[in-house]
Amino acid sequence: MSRSYGEAEDYAPSSASPSPKTETTQTELKVQKRMMVYSVNVNLQSKEIESKVTEIIKLAESYGGYALQYSSNGVVQLKIPAEKLKQFLFTLRNQSQNYSEDVSAKDVTEDYTDTEIRMENAQKMRLRLLEVLKAAKTVEEILKVEAELNKVSEAIERWEGRLKYLASSVQLSSVQVRVLQKWEPVVQKEYQPGPLGYPFYWLYLGLGKVKDGIIWMFVQEIPKEKTEIPD
């Protein structure tokens, strides 16, 4: 069954449920959602690069996205909501010439779950250290506990930042669009003289015929070398 870009799915292990004697880890107890990060590279052509770049940015904004960066050489970096990515690419494809795309996906489910567990463990450690701090009696004990608290708090901030980054990467897909110049062949129109130009036009054609005739006569007058056929 096909799924849209960025769609989460329930992850169920293929094996049967563990027996009571089987030890289950904290990761296995969690109900996981498949978290996919999508990246897309698009190439297309347009007669006017700047106007096409502006059109692409407006299209991205209409789907709730935005431009991170764009340049005059036709490269645009976009962020598109994952649930709107498929629709955005479909519309862009229909509005473009010589369109091609390359879609890649990265599964960050394990990374997100591992980071979440690390943060929860750090939060529990902080609670235990706070209890120890309340029971500390000497200045030395207080300083040691506070030092550990600082380390744990810094770790929690790092895990929280990592979780926010992963969640944002899943929710917003990255799209890079490269607009290339499309060159149209120049069709030369047959010369059509005006009413006053016809005499000069026919004179020009006549002189061309005379020139060709003189060259032909000159070639015919060039003496040809005789070749003797051996006996």
Side-chain angles (χ1 to χ4, degrees):
M1 181 176 63
S2 60
R3 296 181 175 88
S4 61
Y5 299 114
E7 181 180 358
E9 59 180 2
D10 292 336
Y11 174 70
S14 57
S15 60
S17 58
S19 62
K21 295 182 180 179
T22 304
E23 293 183 359
T24 56
T25 63
Q26 191 171 0
T27 304
E28 292 172 342
L29 290 174
K30 284 184 171 293
V31 177
Q32 299 183 8
K33 294 289 186 179
R34 185 66 64 190
M35 304 181 68
M36 306 298 294
V37 178
Y38 287 93
S39 299
V40 185
N41 289 318
V42 174
N43 291 313
L44 55 88
Q45 288 186 334
S46 177
K47 295 180 182 179
E48 299 293 336
I49 293 180
E50 292 185 4
S51 60
K52 187 62 178 180
V53 168
T54 302
E55 177 186 333
I56 292 171
I57 294 175
K58 290 182 178 179
L59 179 63
E61 292 174 348
S62 69
Y63 282 97
Y66 57 90
L68 283 175
Q69 183 180 0
Y70 60 92
S71 59
S72 59
N73 62 358
V75 179
V76 192
Q77 300 284 349
L78 302 169
K79 285 291 186 181
I80 306 295
E83 67 274 9
K84 298 292 185 65
L85 178 60
K86 191 173 183 178
Q87 298 173 358
F88 168 78
L89 294 176
F90 178 80
T91 305
L92 181 61
R93 185 186 305 112
N94 291 336
Q95 296 179 356
S96 304
Q97 296 178 328
N98 297 330
Y99 177 97
S100 65
E101 68 181 38
D102 181 18
V103 181
S104 60
K106 181 181 180 182
D107 190 344
V108 297
T109 308
E110 184 177 354
D111 189 4
Y112 187 92
T113 303
D114 181 67
T115 302
E116 193 174 29
I117 292 173
R118 290 174 181 269
M119 186 185 69
E120 291 175 358
N121 290 336
Q123 290 173 338
K124 293 177 182 178
M125 176 62 70
R126 182 169 59 180
L127 293 176
R128 290 197 294 267
L129 288 173
L130 289 174
E131 294 296 328
V132 173
L133 183 61
K134 292 179 181 178
K137 297 180 180 180
T138 65
V139 175
E140 183 179 359
E141 291 177 349
I142 293 174
L143 293 176
K144 286 183 179 180
V145 175
E146 287 180 344
E148 292 299 321
L149 274 172
N150 290 333
K151 293 179 182 180
V152 173
S153 297
E154 291 176 359
I156 292 174
E157 291 178 0
R158 289 197 302 271
W159 304 138
E160 288 178 342
R162 179 64 179 171
L163 289 175
K164 290 180 181 179
Y165 169 77
L166 292 174
S168 176
S169 299
V170 171
Q171 294 170 3
L172 292 173
S173 300
S174 299
V175 180
Q176 175 179 285
V177 182
R178 182 180 295 274
V179 183
L180 304 176
Q181 183 74 51
K182 182 179 181 181
W183 299 101
E184 296 289 346
V186 179
V187 179
Q188 295 183 350
K189 297 182 178 180
E190 184 180 355
Y191 174 71
Q192 297 293 337
L196 298 179
Y198 267 105
F200 300 98
Y201 177 65
W202 291 115
L203 177 61
Y204 168 78
L205 294 179
L207 291 175
K209 297 293 185 180
V210 172
K211 179 191 67 175
D212 294 340
I214 295 174
I215 294 175
W216 183 83
M217 292 176 58
F218 177 77
V219 171
Q220 293 296 321
E221 293 299 326
I222 296 177
K224 298 181 175 59
E225 295 184 358
K226 295 182 178 181
T227 56
E228 295 182 358
I229 301 176
D231 297 334

